[in-house]
Amino acid sequence: LREVKRPPTFYNRYNILERDNFTCRYCGRKAPDVALEVDHIVPVSKGGSDEPSNLITACFECNTQKRNKLIYEVPLMRKWGQN
């Protein structure tokens, strides 16, 4: 049987957004100017977990661009991944 991983709960999502000061950690834009989401740094499809250390605040645009890739696999995000 394949293990089904649950997405983080609303409470956990809020905690991540709050931890990151409601700011996209990729581009620096802040709410309410942009829609924010919680992104997996290492995608679940590549073995990432739902642990808070693997979750990051991302704006819709950055999260859509990253999709299920690692940061160094996305040309415009390579600089961020080197920090």
Side-chain angles (χ1 to χ4, degrees):
L1 293 171
R2 188 177 127 201
E3 180 181 340
V4 176
K5 295 187 179 189
R6 297 179 326 165
T9 64
F10 176 78
Y11 179 75
N12 286 338
R13 288 178 192 272
Y14 183 81
N15 287 342
I16 300 302
L17 294 167
E18 186 176 49
R19 178 197 70 194
D20 294 341
N21 296 313
F22 300 94
T23 303
C24 176
R25 298 285 303 270
Y26 299 122
C27 70
R29 293 185 292 175
K30 299 181 178 195
D33 298 333
V34 294
L36 295 175
E37 304 176 342
V38 175
D39 180 37
H40 289 86
I41 298 169
V42 177
V44 173
S45 65
K46 296 194 179 197
S49 72
D50 288 333
E51 295 297 316
S53 61
N54 188 47
L55 299 174
I56 195 169
T57 299
C59 69
F60 176 78
E61 186 178 320
C62 287
N63 198 22
T64 301
Q65 180 182 0
K66 182 177 171 279
R67 298 172 52 171
N68 71 331
K69 296 177 177 70
L70 297 171
I71 293 168
Y72 66 84
E73 296 175 322
V74 182
L76 295 177
M77 293 184 173
R78 286 183 186 154
K79 182 178 180 183
W80 184 90
Q82 294 171 356
N83 291 341

